[in-house]
Amino acid sequence: MKLSQLIPGSDDREISGLSADSRDIKKGFLFGSLNGDQYLPNALDNGCCAVIVPEACRFAFPPQTAVIRSGNPALDFAKAAARFYEHTPPHILAVTGTNGKTSIADFVRQVLTMSGEKAASSGTLGLIKGNEPPIPSPNTTPNAVVIERELRELYDEGFGYVVMEASSHGLCQYRLGGVSVDVAGFTNLTRDHLDYHKTFENYLEAKLILFRETLKPGGTAVLNADIDCFDKIRKVCLDSGKKVVSYGRNGKELHLLEIMPRPHGQKLTLEFYGRRIELEIPLSGEFQAMNVLCALGMLTEATHRPEQMLENIVKIKGAKGRLELVGQKNGAAIYIDYAHTPDALENVLHALRPHTANRLLVLFGCGGDRDAGKRPIMGKLAHELADIVYVTDDNPRTEDADKIRAQIMASCPTGINIGNRALAIKTAMSALMPGDILVLAGKGHETGQYINGEIHPFSDHEEVLKNL
């Protein structure tokens, strides 16, 4: 493909591929220099013939190299990737927010597949095509080249729908900059990633990119009406020419009236686009009810087949590692959940309390090299909402794991401190009595433990099975 087709106004040299990783560059590639000048020599040595760089870049380029200077190189590179791969499935949906993205994307894919559509989802669980096993991905939102290549492959395979998790990192780094989204969902906004975004305002602004820029003109935003920033998000959507559908206890189109817990799920009463209906869903917890409403709103707006969506959404299964019942021991139930933020941990413990006949036990830790401010907050929540708390390791990365646990324990005085996560799980399970519920929080579907820069195989699921 010619460079002028990828970057309007450029010359007509042939481009054989593109990457923002200098190690992947080959002869004839376009290189997106998005992370500083230090990778340019390697990209040039590997054969790149064109580069996109920030306007302020002062690198001395060889005369034969096409240099495209940009005020937003990440966005222009993403658009170039979209033009290079050309085609995408006709219907693209995306969901953002602190918690719930993975479950909602999974629910949407499940329902579309049940409804006879070729549908895929991408995010924390990887790329899932229909009912096939997931293809792992290192990031919730991959880089722009991976996104556009996957979308082209899905198009070539005849997929009509794809639903994507849009992380705040992915949005503010414009990894989705070349994607045109038809329907976008917003779940909630609570403390997370402040090590990266620095302020809550910056965090929200990153999320809003999905609605200001990635959601196409005339597209639909499905918003949680129960969150503090609803009015601001709604205004951003309306001001940029997008339709707004709201859900929740304050929602308009999907107005939640009542939740009734059931032994294996819950019954929801709601006004659905103006008419009163009841839904029996096989998932516990109000936060899962909210996830279902968001998914239902996105499905209805994407397909315009509300009756079929209602018929199939009651058949969904929970996403792996999301309030997932993984076993029973001594008459006690054991759940695994990905909750790794204060809000998520609070939601999980509130969700399981009504189902707890005896004691509620929680085991969790906090990740290293990430927002340290949430550690005492999560310790306090666990201390107040659970009967027994086990504080353990959860991806300490390059930090001192003992210090991380000490920061949690400072606000959880009765917590049981066991650094070795396998031993902590074994200890917690050996203490279970009839009517107890144990939730292992933080790692969810993950199959590795990050320690001192290395990934060690580890799965909460496998540890539970060992001790059953």
Side-chain angles (χ1 to χ4, degrees), residues 7-8 32 113 140 153 155 274 285 307 320-321 339 344 356 366 375 381 412 429 432 445 451 461 466-467:
I7 310 289
T113 303
T140 297
E153 290 171 356
Y155 170 85
E307 297 308 318
K320 185 175 177 64
T356 307
C366 289
R375 296 168 189 170
L381 285 168
C412 187
M429 288 182 62
L432 290 174
H445 65 286
I451 304 171
H461 289 80
K466 286 179 188 176
N467 291 286

Side-chain angles (χ1 to χ4, degrees), residues 100-402:
K101 298 185 295 294
T102 300
S103 291
I104 291 165
D106 205 63
F107 297 163
V108 169
R109 175 190 51 77
Q110 287 184 53
V111 172
L112 288 170
T113 303
M114 281 184 248
S115 302
E117 302 289 348
K118 285 199 74 173
S121 61
S122 69
T124 307
L125 299 179
L127 176 64
I128 305 177
K129 302 176 181 181
N131 293 320
E132 295 178 14
I135 302 167
S137 170
N139 303 105
T140 297
T141 306
N143 67 60
V145 173
V146 171
I147 287 173
E148 298 299 341
R149 183 174 65 238
E150 285 183 350
L151 289 174
R152 176 57 189 261
E153 290 171 356
L154 291 169
Y155 170 85
D156 289 342
E157 293 170 17
F159 280 82
Y161 290 84
V162 59
V163 53
M164 312 170 73
E165 292 181 55
S167 69
S168 57
H169 292 72
L171 287 166
C172 69
Q173 294 171 10
Y174 285 95
R175 300 179 207 164
L176 288 164
V179 179
S180 180
V181 169
D182 303 295
V183 179
F186 196 106
T187 63
N188 46 60
L189 196 76
T190 61
R191 183 177 183 126
D192 200 14
H193 304 305
L194 296 192
D195 55 308
Y196 180 84
H197 297 290
K198 306 304 180 189
T199 69
F200 205 74
E201 291 71 25
N202 290 345
Y203 183 34
L204 174 58
E205 285 301 316
K207 298 289 191 185
L208 290 177
I209 291 171
L210 176 61
F211 301 92
R212 280 199 182 102
E213 303 176 40
T214 314
L215 183 60
K216 68 183 184 183
T220 302
V222 179
L223 307 179
N224 183 346
D226 296 348
I227 58 177
D228 293 340
C229 51
F230 168 71
D231 289 335
K232 180 173 183 177
I233 304 168
R234 180 177 181 273
K235 185 177 188 302
V236 164
C237 294
L238 295 177
D239 288 350
S240 55
K242 318 296 165 59
K243 176 185 174 183
V244 172
V245 164
S246 61
Y247 68 94
R249 295 188 183 276
N250 296 305
K252 182 181 177 184
E253 288 77 11
L254 294 97
H255 179 197
L256 180 60
L257 299 172
E258 187 180 20
I259 299 177
M260 291 290 292
R262 292 286 190 263
H264 301 289
Q266 52 195 321
K267 182 174 78 172
L268 312 181
T269 304
L270 62 147
E271 287 180 2
F272 178 71
Y273 289 83
R275 62 190 174 98
R276 190 181 179 100
I277 63 169
E278 292 182 347
L279 290 178
E280 289 260 6
I281 60 171
L283 305 163
S284 301
E286 182 166 338
F287 74 98
Q288 285 284 42
M290 295 293 282
N291 290 340
V292 166
L293 292 184
C294 183
L296 183 57
M298 293 175 67
L299 285 160
T300 301
E301 294 298 319
T303 65
H304 304 290
R305 305 199 303 267
E307 297 308 318
Q308 191 175 31
M309 300 305 107
L310 287 169
E311 178 185 343
N312 287 328
I313 202 155
V314 297
K315 305 172 190 174
I316 56 174
K317 297 178 180 177
K320 185 175 177 64
R322 271 64 182 175
L323 206 61
E324 179 186 3
L325 178 62
V326 290
Q328 297 187 17
K329 184 174 183 179
N330 297 338
I334 303 156
Y335 288 82
I336 289 177
D337 191 83
Y338 191 52
H340 59 280
T341 66
D343 180 68
L345 185 64
E346 182 177 14
N347 283 336
V348 164
L349 295 175
H350 277 308
L352 291 175
R353 178 58 77 180
H355 302 272
T356 307
N358 192 13
R359 303 172 303 168
L360 179 58
L361 296 78
V362 62
L363 178 150
F364 79 103
C366 289
D369 303 331
R370 298 291 187 269
D371 179 12
K374 68 183 182 183
R375 296 168 189 170
I377 299 172
M378 293 178 70
K380 184 173 185 289
L381 285 168
H383 176 68
E384 292 174 350
L385 299 178
D387 300 304
I388 299 178
V389 180
Y390 296 87
V391 177
T392 189
D393 292 346
D394 181 347
N395 296 329
R397 297 183 176 87
T398 63
E399 278 196 69
D400 184 328
D402 292 343

